[in-house]
mmCIF file of all heavy atoms in Angstrom:
data_model
loop_
_atom_site.group_PDB
_atom_site.id
_atom_site.type_symbol
_atom_site.label_atom_id
_atom_site.label_comp_id
_atom_site.label_asym_id
_atom_site.label_seq_id
_atom_site.Cartn_x
_atom_site.Cartn_y
_atom_site.Cartn_z
ATOM 1 N N THR A 213 -135.629 200.669 24.613
ATOM 2 C CA THR A 213 -135.903 201.533 23.448
ATOM 3 C C THR A 213 -134.829 201.233 22.395
ATOM 4 O O THR A 213 -133.784 200.661 22.730
ATOM 5 C CB THR A 213 -135.807 203.034 23.809
ATOM 6 O OG1 THR A 213 -134.415 203.328 24.077
ATOM 7 C CG2 THR A 213 -136.644 203.392 25.020
ATOM 8 N N PRO A 214 -135.048 201.658 21.156
ATOM 9 C CA PRO A 214 -133.999 201.449 20.153
ATOM 10 C C PRO A 214 -132.673 202.087 20.573
ATOM 11 O O PRO A 214 -131.607 201.557 20.266
ATOM 12 C CB PRO A 214 -134.579 202.118 18.905
ATOM 13 C CG PRO A 214 -136.062 201.996 19.081
ATOM 14 C CD PRO A 214 -136.297 202.174 20.553
ATOM 15 N N ALA A 215 -132.736 203.210 21.299
ATOM 16 C CA ALA A 215 -131.493 203.870 21.711
ATOM 17 C C ALA A 215 -130.721 203.037 22.737
ATOM 18 O O ALA A 215 -129.525 203.220 22.924
ATOM 19 C CB ALA A 215 -131.811 205.244 22.300
ATOM 20 N N ASP A 216 -131.419 202.123 23.421
ATOM 21 C CA ASP A 216 -130.754 201.265 24.415
ATOM 22 C C ASP A 216 -130.166 200.009 23.787
ATOM 23 O O ASP A 216 -129.555 199.196 24.479
ATOM 24 C CB ASP A 216 -131.765 200.816 25.483
ATOM 25 C CG ASP A 216 -132.271 201.985 26.293
ATOM 26 O OD1 ASP A 216 -131.436 202.773 26.769
ATOM 27 O OD2 ASP A 216 -133.501 202.113 26.426
ATOM 28 N N MET A 217 -130.381 199.836 22.514
ATOM 29 C CA MET A 217 -129.985 198.579 21.880
ATOM 30 C C MET A 217 -128.485 198.554 21.606
ATOM 31 O O MET A 217 -127.948 199.395 20.883
ATOM 32 C CB MET A 217 -130.745 198.423 20.567
ATOM 33 C CG MET A 217 -130.492 197.117 19.896
ATOM 34 S SD MET A 217 -131.416 197.093 18.359
ATOM 35 C CE MET A 217 -130.834 195.587 17.654
ATOM 36 N N LEU A 218 -127.816 197.574 22.181
ATOM 37 C CA LEU A 218 -126.384 197.419 21.938
ATOM 38 C C LEU A 218 -126.147 196.950 20.509
ATOM 39 O O LEU A 218 -126.919 196.141 19.984
ATOM 40 C CB LEU A 218 -125.800 196.383 22.900
ATOM 41 C CG LEU A 218 -125.589 196.820 24.342
ATOM 42 C CD1 LEU A 218 -125.258 195.618 25.222
ATOM 43 C CD2 LEU A 218 -124.472 197.850 24.414
ATOM 44 N N PHE A 219 -125.090 197.412 19.901
ATOM 45 C CA PHE A 219 -124.630 196.960 18.575
ATOM 46 C C PHE A 219 -125.693 197.158 17.487
ATOM 47 O O PHE A 219 -125.738 196.392 16.521
ATOM 48 C CB PHE A 219 -124.227 195.476 18.620
ATOM 49 C CG PHE A 219 -123.396 195.106 19.802
ATOM 50 C CD1 PHE A 219 -123.863 194.221 20.765
ATOM 51 C CD2 PHE A 219 -122.138 195.656 19.980
ATOM 52 C CE1 PHE A 219 -123.099 193.878 21.867
ATOM 53 C CE2 PHE A 219 -121.359 195.325 21.074
ATOM 54 C CZ PHE A 219 -121.840 194.435 22.029
ATOM 55 N N ALA A 220 -126.551 198.167 17.646
ATOM 56 C CA ALA A 220 -127.689 198.318 16.733
ATOM 57 C C ALA A 220 -127.244 198.455 15.271
ATOM 58 O O ALA A 220 -127.782 197.784 14.384
ATOM 59 C CB ALA A 220 -128.518 199.525 17.149
ATOM 60 N N GLU A 221 -126.242 199.300 15.041
ATOM 61 C CA GLU A 221 -125.820 199.514 13.642
ATOM 62 C C GLU A 221 -125.221 198.248 13.064
ATOM 63 O O GLU A 221 -125.487 197.880 11.910
ATOM 64 C CB GLU A 221 -124.797 200.649 13.573
ATOM 65 C CG GLU A 221 -125.436 202.003 13.736
ATOM 66 C CD GLU A 221 -124.437 203.140 13.561
ATOM 67 O OE1 GLU A 221 -123.441 202.956 12.842
ATOM 68 O OE2 GLU A 221 -124.670 204.202 14.161
ATOM 69 N N GLU A 222 -124.414 197.582 13.851
ATOM 70 C CA GLU A 222 -123.744 196.368 13.348
ATOM 71 C C GLU A 222 -124.763 195.273 13.047
ATOM 72 O O GLU A 222 -124.662 194.563 12.043
ATOM 73 C CB GLU A 222 -122.726 195.893 14.387
ATOM 74 C CG GLU A 222 -121.834 194.800 13.859
ATOM 75 C CD GLU A 222 -120.747 194.409 14.855
ATOM 76 O OE1 GLU A 222 -120.480 195.183 15.801
ATOM 77 O OE2 GLU A 222 -120.176 193.313 14.686
ATOM 78 N N LEU A 223 -125.770 195.154 13.912
ATOM 79 C CA LEU A 223 -126.797 194.128 13.684
ATOM 80 C C LEU A 223 -127.625 194.466 12.448
ATOM 81 O O LEU A 223 -127.980 193.578 11.661
ATOM 82 C CB LEU A 223 -127.703 193.997 14.915
ATOM 83 C CG LEU A 223 -127.026 193.426 16.157
ATOM 84 C CD1 LEU A 223 -127.972 193.467 17.350
ATOM 85 C CD2 LEU A 223 -126.559 191.989 15.918
ATOM 86 N N ALA A 224 -127.918 195.761 12.271
ATOM 87 C CA ALA A 224 -128.674 196.159 11.084
ATOM 88 C C ALA A 224 -127.870 195.853 9.823
ATOM 89 O O ALA A 224 -128.413 195.376 8.815
ATOM 90 C CB ALA A 224 -129.013 197.643 11.161
ATOM 91 N N ALA A 225 -126.561 196.095 9.884
ATOM 92 C CA ALA A 225 -125.709 195.810 8.717
ATOM 93 C C ALA A 225 -125.671 194.307 8.451
ATOM 94 O O ALA A 225 -125.723 193.863 7.300
ATOM 95 C CB ALA A 225 -124.298 196.350 8.967
ATOM 96 N N LEU A 226 -125.602 193.519 9.533
ATOM 97 C CA LEU A 226 -125.610 192.052 9.364
ATOM 98 C C LEU A 226 -126.882 191.612 8.644
ATOM 99 O O LEU A 226 -126.853 190.776 7.740
ATOM 100 C CB LEU A 226 -125.571 191.363 10.724
ATOM 101 C CG LEU A 226 -124.219 191.031 11.359
ATOM 102 C CD1 LEU A 226 -124.440 190.277 12.659
ATOM 103 C CD2 LEU A 226 -123.357 190.204 10.418
ATOM 104 N N ALA A 227 -128.006 192.210 9.089
ATOM 105 C CA ALA A 227 -129.298 191.831 8.501
ATOM 106 C C ALA A 227 -129.352 192.222 7.014
ATOM 107 O O ALA A 227 -129.926 191.509 6.203
ATOM 108 C CB ALA A 227 -130.439 192.495 9.277
ATOM 109 N N ARG A 228 -128.712 193.362 6.696
ATOM 110 C CA ARG A 228 -128.701 193.795 5.282
ATOM 111 C C ARG A 228 -127.820 192.885 4.442
ATOM 112 O O ARG A 228 -128.179 192.504 3.324
ATOM 113 C CB ARG A 228 -128.162 195.235 5.185
ATOM 114 C CG ARG A 228 -129.198 196.314 5.409
ATOM 115 C CD ARG A 228 -128.685 197.670 4.922
ATOM 116 N NE ARG A 228 -127.371 198.019 5.439
ATOM 117 C CZ ARG A 228 -127.162 198.631 6.610
ATOM 118 N NH1 ARG A 228 -128.179 198.933 7.378
ATOM 119 N NH2 ARG A 228 -125.939 198.922 7.002
ATOM 120 N N GLU A 229 -126.671 192.517 4.997
ATOM 121 C CA GLU A 229 -125.662 191.826 4.183
ATOM 122 C C GLU A 229 -125.809 190.310 4.168
ATOM 123 O O GLU A 229 -125.237 189.640 3.319
ATOM 124 C CB GLU A 229 -124.269 192.200 4.695
ATOM 125 C CG GLU A 229 -123.905 193.649 4.378
ATOM 126 C CD GLU A 229 -122.833 194.198 5.309
ATOM 127 O OE1 GLU A 229 -122.139 193.378 5.947
ATOM 128 O OE2 GLU A 229 -122.721 195.436 5.398
ATOM 129 N N HIS A 230 -126.536 189.770 5.162
ATOM 130 C CA HIS A 230 -126.662 188.303 5.239
ATOM 131 C C HIS A 230 -128.131 187.910 5.173
ATOM 132 O O HIS A 230 -128.849 188.008 6.174
ATOM 133 C CB HIS A 230 -126.042 187.783 6.542
ATOM 134 C CG HIS A 230 -124.579 188.038 6.648
ATOM 135 N ND1 HIS A 230 -123.631 187.115 6.254
ATOM 136 C CD2 HIS A 230 -123.896 189.120 7.073
ATOM 137 C CE1 HIS A 230 -122.424 187.626 6.445
ATOM 138 N NE2 HIS A 230 -122.551 188.836 6.954
ATOM 139 N N PRO A 231 -128.576 187.421 4.028
ATOM 140 C CA PRO A 231 -129.987 187.031 3.907
ATOM 141 C C PRO A 231 -130.347 185.937 4.916
ATOM 142 O O PRO A 231 -131.524 185.800 5.270
ATOM 143 C CB PRO A 231 -130.080 186.489 2.469
ATOM 144 C CG PRO A 231 -128.818 186.895 1.781
ATOM 145 C CD PRO A 231 -127.807 187.221 2.808
ATOM 146 N N GLY A 232 -129.365 185.214 5.406
ATOM 147 C CA GLY A 232 -129.633 184.139 6.375
ATOM 148 C C GLY A 232 -129.822 184.643 7.795
ATOM 149 O O GLY A 232 -130.052 183.839 8.708
ATOM 150 N N TYR A 233 -129.686 185.970 8.015
ATOM 151 C CA TYR A 233 -129.832 186.515 9.373
ATOM 152 C C TYR A 233 -131.090 187.374 9.431
ATOM 153 O O TYR A 233 -131.216 188.378 8.734
ATOM 154 C CB TYR A 233 -128.606 187.363 9.730
ATOM 155 C CG TYR A 233 -128.707 188.062 11.073
ATOM 156 C CD1 TYR A 233 -128.754 187.332 12.260
ATOM 157 C CD2 TYR A 233 -128.756 189.457 11.148
ATOM 158 C CE1 TYR A 233 -128.846 187.977 13.487
ATOM 159 C CE2 TYR A 233 -128.839 190.109 12.378
ATOM 160 C CZ TYR A 233 -128.883 189.356 13.540
ATOM 161 O OH TYR A 233 -128.978 189.989 14.751
ATOM 162 N N ARG A 234 -132.049 186.949 10.271
ATOM 163 C CA ARG A 234 -133.306 187.698 10.404
ATOM 164 C C ARG A 234 -133.401 188.234 11.830
ATOM 165 O O ARG A 234 -133.427 187.460 12.788
ATOM 166 C CB ARG A 234 -134.486 186.758 10.121
ATOM 167 C CG ARG A 234 -135.822 187.480 10.053
ATOM 168 C CD ARG A 234 -136.829 186.680 9.260
ATOM 169 N NE ARG A 234 -137.163 185.406 9.874
ATOM 170 C CZ ARG A 234 -138.251 185.185 10.609
ATOM 171 N NH1 ARG A 234 -139.103 186.162 10.826
ATOM 172 N NH2 ARG A 234 -138.486 184.001 11.106
ATOM 173 N N LEU A 235 -133.383 189.563 11.944
ATOM 174 C CA LEU A 235 -133.406 190.216 13.257
ATOM 175 C C LEU A 235 -134.805 190.734 13.559
ATOM 176 O O LEU A 235 -135.378 191.499 12.789
ATOM 177 C CB LEU A 235 -132.409 191.386 13.252
ATOM 178 C CG LEU A 235 -132.370 192.261 14.497
ATOM 179 C CD1 LEU A 235 -131.945 191.449 15.720
ATOM 180 C CD2 LEU A 235 -131.405 193.428 14.288
ATOM 181 N N LEU A 236 -135.361 190.280 14.685
ATOM 182 C CA LEU A 236 -136.671 190.758 15.132
ATOM 183 C C LEU A 236 -136.458 191.496 16.437
ATOM 184 O O LEU A 236 -136.258 190.886 17.486
ATOM 185 C CB LEU A 236 -137.612 189.568 15.350
ATOM 186 C CG LEU A 236 -137.837 188.660 14.127
ATOM 187 C CD1 LEU A 236 -138.633 187.431 14.516
ATOM 188 C CD2 LEU A 236 -138.544 189.428 13.031
ATOM 189 N N PHE A 237 -136.443 192.837 16.351
ATOM 190 C CA PHE A 237 -136.179 193.637 17.543
ATOM 191 C C PHE A 237 -137.472 194.160 18.141
ATOM 192 O O PHE A 237 -138.378 194.602 17.422
ATOM 193 C CB PHE A 237 -135.270 194.824 17.204
ATOM 194 C CG PHE A 237 -135.090 195.765 18.372
ATOM 195 C CD1 PHE A 237 -134.391 195.367 19.492
ATOM 196 C CD2 PHE A 237 -135.651 197.038 18.351
ATOM 197 C CE1 PHE A 237 -134.237 196.215 20.581
ATOM 198 C CE2 PHE A 237 -135.508 197.893 19.436
ATOM 199 C CZ PHE A 237 -134.797 197.479 20.551
ATOM 200 N N ARG A 238 -137.543 194.111 19.463
ATOM 201 C CA ARG A 238 -138.719 194.609 20.150
ATOM 202 C C ARG A 238 -138.301 195.670 21.169
ATOM 203 O O ARG A 238 -137.455 195.413 22.039
ATOM 204 C CB ARG A 238 -139.396 193.444 20.875
ATOM 205 C CG ARG A 238 -140.753 193.791 21.397
ATOM 206 C CD ARG A 238 -141.439 192.519 21.852
ATOM 207 N NE ARG A 238 -142.745 192.825 22.357
ATOM 208 C CZ ARG A 238 -143.847 192.802 21.628
ATOM 209 N NH1 ARG A 238 -143.798 192.450 20.367
ATOM 210 N NH2 ARG A 238 -145.005 193.114 22.164
ATOM 211 N N ALA A 239 -138.888 196.864 21.034
ATOM 212 C CA ALA A 239 -138.624 197.944 21.991
ATOM 213 C C ALA A 239 -139.661 197.799 23.107
ATOM 214 O O ALA A 239 -140.833 198.129 22.921
ATOM 215 C CB ALA A 239 -138.741 199.300 21.312
ATOM 216 N N THR A 240 -139.246 197.285 24.241
ATOM 217 C CA THR A 240 -140.226 196.867 25.254
ATOM 218 C C THR A 240 -140.991 198.037 25.873
ATOM 219 O O THR A 240 -142.115 197.871 26.299
ATOM 220 C CB THR A 240 -139.545 196.046 26.367
ATOM 221 O OG1 THR A 240 -138.474 196.814 26.895
ATOM 222 C CG2 THR A 240 -139.031 194.729 25.841
ATOM 223 N N ARG A 241 -140.361 199.227 25.903
ATOM 224 C CA ARG A 241 -141.059 200.345 26.548
ATOM 225 C C ARG A 241 -142.309 200.737 25.740
ATOM 226 O O ARG A 241 -143.336 201.087 26.310
ATOM 227 C CB ARG A 241 -140.119 201.544 26.701
ATOM 228 C CG ARG A 241 -140.624 202.538 27.731
ATOM 229 C CD ARG A 241 -139.536 203.453 28.219
ATOM 230 N NE ARG A 241 -138.507 202.765 28.987
ATOM 231 C CZ ARG A 241 -137.304 203.258 29.225
ATOM 232 N NH1 ARG A 241 -136.953 204.424 28.755
ATOM 233 N NH2 ARG A 241 -136.434 202.572 29.946
ATOM 234 N N SER A 242 -142.231 200.665 24.438
ATOM 235 C CA SER A 242 -143.391 201.042 23.623
ATOM 236 C C SER A 242 -144.191 199.826 23.153
ATOM 237 O O SER A 242 -145.389 199.924 22.915
ATOM 238 C CB SER A 242 -142.934 201.862 22.415
ATOM 239 O OG SER A 242 -141.955 201.138 21.704
ATOM 240 N N GLN A 243 -143.543 198.664 23.059
ATOM 241 C CA GLN A 243 -144.234 197.503 22.474
ATOM 242 C C GLN A 243 -144.557 196.401 23.482
ATOM 243 O O GLN A 243 -145.179 195.411 23.120
ATOM 244 C CB GLN A 243 -143.378 196.917 21.356
ATOM 245 C CG GLN A 243 -143.146 197.881 20.198
ATOM 246 C CD GLN A 243 -142.157 197.316 19.192
ATOM 247 O OE1 GLN A 243 -140.981 197.154 19.502
ATOM 248 N NE2 GLN A 243 -142.634 196.999 18.007
ATOM 249 N N GLY A 244 -144.074 196.568 24.718
ATOM 250 C CA GLY A 244 -144.278 195.524 25.716
ATOM 251 C C GLY A 244 -143.235 194.418 25.567
ATOM 252 O O GLY A 244 -142.535 194.341 24.560
ATOM 253 N N ARG A 245 -143.149 193.583 26.612
ATOM 254 C CA ARG A 245 -142.136 192.528 26.592
ATOM 255 C C ARG A 245 -142.494 191.414 25.629
ATOM 256 O O ARG A 245 -143.668 191.245 25.285
ATOM 257 C CB ARG A 245 -141.975 191.931 27.991
ATOM 258 C CG ARG A 245 -141.365 192.919 28.929
ATOM 259 C CD ARG A 245 -140.925 192.244 30.184
ATOM 260 N NE ARG A 245 -140.271 193.224 31.032
ATOM 261 C CZ ARG A 245 -140.101 193.079 32.327
ATOM 262 N NH1 ARG A 245 -140.541 191.992 32.917
ATOM 263 N NH2 ARG A 245 -139.494 194.002 33.027
ATOM 264 N N LEU A 246 -141.500 190.655 25.221
ATOM 265 C CA LEU A 246 -141.746 189.450 24.436
ATOM 266 C C LEU A 246 -142.679 188.557 25.245
ATOM 267 O O LEU A 246 -142.415 188.298 26.415
ATOM 268 C CB LEU A 246 -140.435 188.677 24.232
ATOM 269 C CG LEU A 246 -139.435 189.206 23.211
ATOM 270 C CD1 LEU A 246 -138.162 188.381 23.288
ATOM 271 C CD2 LEU A 246 -140.023 189.147 21.815
ATOM 272 N N ASP A 247 -143.753 188.119 24.630
ATOM 273 C CA ASP A 247 -144.705 187.283 25.368
ATOM 274 C C ASP A 247 -144.280 185.819 25.274
ATOM 275 O O ASP A 247 -144.512 185.148 24.269
ATOM 276 C CB ASP A 247 -146.111 187.483 24.799
ATOM 277 C CG ASP A 247 -147.132 186.646 25.565
ATOM 278 O OD1 ASP A 247 -146.741 186.039 26.596
ATOM 279 O OD2 ASP A 247 -148.299 186.605 25.149
ATOM 280 N N LEU A 248 -143.646 185.354 26.347
ATOM 281 C CA LEU A 248 -143.229 183.952 26.388
ATOM 282 C C LEU A 248 -144.032 183.188 27.445
ATOM 283 O O LEU A 248 -143.547 182.209 28.016
ATOM 284 C CB LEU A 248 -141.727 183.848 26.670
ATOM 285 C CG LEU A 248 -140.807 184.267 25.511
ATOM 286 C CD1 LEU A 248 -139.355 184.252 25.948
ATOM 287 C CD2 LEU A 248 -140.979 183.370 24.297
ATOM 288 N N SER A 249 -145.271 183.663 27.688
ATOM 289 C CA SER A 249 -146.114 182.943 28.650
ATOM 290 C C SER A 249 -146.556 181.608 28.046
ATOM 291 O O SER A 249 -146.947 180.692 28.751
ATOM 292 C CB SER A 249 -147.334 183.785 29.016
ATOM 293 O OG SER A 249 -148.037 184.127 27.833
ATOM 294 N N GLY A 250 -146.481 181.521 26.739
ATOM 295 C CA GLY A 250 -146.799 180.273 26.031
ATOM 296 C C GLY A 250 -146.118 180.322 24.682
ATOM 297 O O GLY A 250 -145.400 181.288 24.385
ATOM 298 N N PRO A 251 -146.338 179.320 23.836
ATOM 299 C CA PRO A 251 -145.607 179.276 22.560
ATOM 300 C C PRO A 251 -146.222 180.124 21.443
ATOM 301 O O PRO A 251 -145.689 180.136 20.335
ATOM 302 C CB PRO A 251 -145.653 177.787 22.195
ATOM 303 C CG PRO A 251 -146.867 177.263 22.869
ATOM 304 C CD PRO A 251 -147.110 178.097 24.080
#
Side-chain angles (χ1 to χ4, degrees):
T213 69
D216 295 311
M217 185 181 174
L218 284 169
F219 315 115
E221 285 184 27
E222 190 175 343
L223 292 174
L226 270 184
R228 275 196 309 274
E229 289 157 18
H230 297 267
Y233 175 65
R234 188 157 64 99
L235 175 62
L236 302 173
F237 174 68
R238 191 169 180 93
T240 55
R241 198 161 293 162
S242 55
Q243 298 173 293
R245 292 193 177 160
L246 284 174
D247 181 7
L248 288 175
S249 56

